[in-house]
């Protein structure tokens, strides 16, 4: 995987999908050549099942400065020619992100640390929680904490909390919402509003071990592999397009508490990779699946 953008240079990332027809790569390369840009990295994939072509190109301007508006305007004709769904991103900008958490803080702590040390190309705009447990932790990183309590079974409170969440997203220009072990089920309206912009993490025991204490349930069944899955959120609970997965092998002598510890480590690693890839514009949606240019 290539590294993060050089902050001293003006670099951009083009992502696109379109019908898989001849000439797409040539069209993109010729456009970049004619506009005085040079390609730093290029990846592409033609999916034989969907008939779609996917591409991610990292490039920089060789001479003079160029704005995002100028690039969007000049590339529009290429996009129209090949019927592309495309976007050009400023590779030097940190993606604004909101983290959501409930009572388990391991993923929150991990993401705050990675972002704070520059290991993730994101700017955490706020942490939103239905509990107040992690306010001190959040503020220790200089990040705003937004408490949106939701009482069990209180539909009105849930509606208000979700409206407030969308207001935070809109007012702070947030491009990604991360459910870092946020345990409330979000409404279909919120899922649709943030489609392709909200990532969840859960243990890979689902759907086999739903409900309370899944690791204890897994221990009782003598599992040999535990893991985690990061995926985009859709209205179908835990059924969204998968971004990343990981597993860890465990033996018969591992206790339920040890399973929990191993599982939490795996969850942190998987979620961090998913957030990083999304923030670097390496994930393209392909129906119910994803194309990952990692």
């Amino acid at each position: 995987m290539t590294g993060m953008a050089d902050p001293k240079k003006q670099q951009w990332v083009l992502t696109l999908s379109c019908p898989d027809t001849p000439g797409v790569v040539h069209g993109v390369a010729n456009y970049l050549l004619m506009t005085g840009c040079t390609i730093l990295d290029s990846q592409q994939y033609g999916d034989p099942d969907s008939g779609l072509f996917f591409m991610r190109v990292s490039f920089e301007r060789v001479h003079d400065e160029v704005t995002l508006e100028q690039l969007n305007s000049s590339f529009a004709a290429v996009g129209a020619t090949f019927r592309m769904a495309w976007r050009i991103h400023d590779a030097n900008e940190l993606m604004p992100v909101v983290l959501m958490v409930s009572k388990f803080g391991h993923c929150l702590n991990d993401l705050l640390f990675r972002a704070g040390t520059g290991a993730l190309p994101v700017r955490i705009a706020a942490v939103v929680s239905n509990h107040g447990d992690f306010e001190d932790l959040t503020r220790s990183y200089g990040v705003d904490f937004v408490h949106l309590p939701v009482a069990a079974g209180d539909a009105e409170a849930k509606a208000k909390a979700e409206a407030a969440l969308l207001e935070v997203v809109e007012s702070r220009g947030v491009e990604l919402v991360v459910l870092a072990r946020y345990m409330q089920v979000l409404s279909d309206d919120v899922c649709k509003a943030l489609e392709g912009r909200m990532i969840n993490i859960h243990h890979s025991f689902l759907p086999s071990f739903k409900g309370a204490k899944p690791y204890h349930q897994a221990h009782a069944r003598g599992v040999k592999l535990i893991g985690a899955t990061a995926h985009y959120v859709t209205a179908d609970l835990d059924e969204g397009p998968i971004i990343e997965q990981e597993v860890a092998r465990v033996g018969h002598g591992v206790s339920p508490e040890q399973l929990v510890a191993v599982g939490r480590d795996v969850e942190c690693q998987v979620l961090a990779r998913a957030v990083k890839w999304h923030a670097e514009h390496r994930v393209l949606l392909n129906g119910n699946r994803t194309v990952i240019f990692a």
Side-chain angles (χ1 to χ4, degrees):
M1 178 185 293
T2 58
M4 296 182 188
D6 186 342
K8 298 179 182 178
K9 297 181 179 181
Q10 192 179 32
Q11 297 180 357
W12 311 90
V13 174
L14 165 67
T15 56
L16 66 90
S17 63
C18 64
D20 194 353
T21 56
V24 177
V25 174
H26 177 268
V28 171
N30 186 62
Y31 161 80
L32 293 175
L33 174 64
M34 297 303 294
T35 52
C37 297
T38 184
I39 294 175
L40 302 174
D41 177 75
S42 179
Q43 296 173 284
Q44 52 270 336
Y45 170 68
D47 181 16
D49 295 326
S50 65
L52 294 176
F53 181 81
F54 300 85
M55 191 173 186
R56 179 188 187 274
V57 183
S58 173
F59 64 94
E60 68 181 14
R61 181 81 164 186
V62 179
H63 304 293
D64 305 323
E65 292 291 306
V66 65
T67 67
L68 182 58
E69 290 74 17
Q70 291 171 330
L71 290 172
N72 283 329
S73 176
S74 59
F75 188 77
V78 180
T81 298
F82 293 99
R83 293 183 290 156
M84 295 177 182
W86 59 275
R87 284 192 65 186
I88 298 176
H89 316 267
D90 186 340
N92 296 108
E93 285 191 2
L94 298 177
M95 179 174 288
V97 172
V98 158
L99 307 180
M100 299 185 69
V101 65
S102 289
K103 285 279 192 176
F104 300 102
H106 51 288
C107 288
L108 170 67
N109 187 56
D110 182 74
L111 293 174
L112 285 169
F113 177 79
R114 291 176 190 261
T117 57
L120 282 180
V122 301
R123 174 180 59 80
I124 301 178
V127 170
V128 174
S129 180
N130 55 325
H131 299 282
D133 301 52
F134 299 112
E135 180 171 2
D136 289 345
L137 171 66
T138 299
R139 296 195 185 282
S140 72
Y141 282 92
V143 175
D144 289 343
F145 184 85
V146 181
H147 184 205
L148 299 177
V150 180
D154 190 336
E156 183 178 353
K158 179 178 179 179
K160 288 182 178 179
E162 290 189 345
L165 167 64
L166 294 177
E167 172 60 25
V168 169
V169 170
E170 178 68 23
S171 63
R172 304 190 186 209
V174 170
E175 295 184 37
L176 176 66
V177 174
V178 181
L179 306 185
R181 294 305 303 270
Y182 183 73
M183 307 308 291
Q184 292 288 323
V185 177
L186 296 170
S187 69
D188 290 357
D189 289 342
V190 170
C191 294
K192 292 175 182 176
L194 298 174
E195 185 175 4
R197 297 193 295 146
M198 184 159 54
I199 295 175
N200 187 31
I201 184 72
H202 65 69
H203 49 80
S204 289
F205 300 133
L206 292 173
S208 297
F209 302 106
K210 290 186 177 181
K213 295 188 175 181
Y215 289 102
H216 290 71
Q217 296 180 50
H219 180 267
R221 291 287 298 276
V223 299
K224 300 299 183 284
L225 290 172
I226 63 172
T229 298
H231 64 92
Y232 286 113
V233 176
T234 63
D236 295 324
L237 186 63
D238 295 327
E239 298 292 337
I242 294 171
I243 304 170
E244 175 63 335
Q245 295 177 296
E246 185 62 271
V247 296
R249 182 168 293 277
V250 294
H252 62 272
V254 177
S255 69
E257 291 71 25
Q258 290 171 319
L259 279 183
V260 171
V262 173
R264 287 179 175 177
D265 284 344
V266 176
E267 289 173 12
C268 290
Q269 295 168 28
V270 170
L271 184 57
R273 286 198 291 266
V275 171
K276 184 175 188 294
W277 293 345
H278 180 95
E280 292 177 346
H281 314 291
R282 298 181 180 277
V283 187
L284 281 71
L285 286 170
N286 182 19
N288 293 323
R289 298 180 293 161
T290 57
V291 174
I292 311 289
F293 289 129

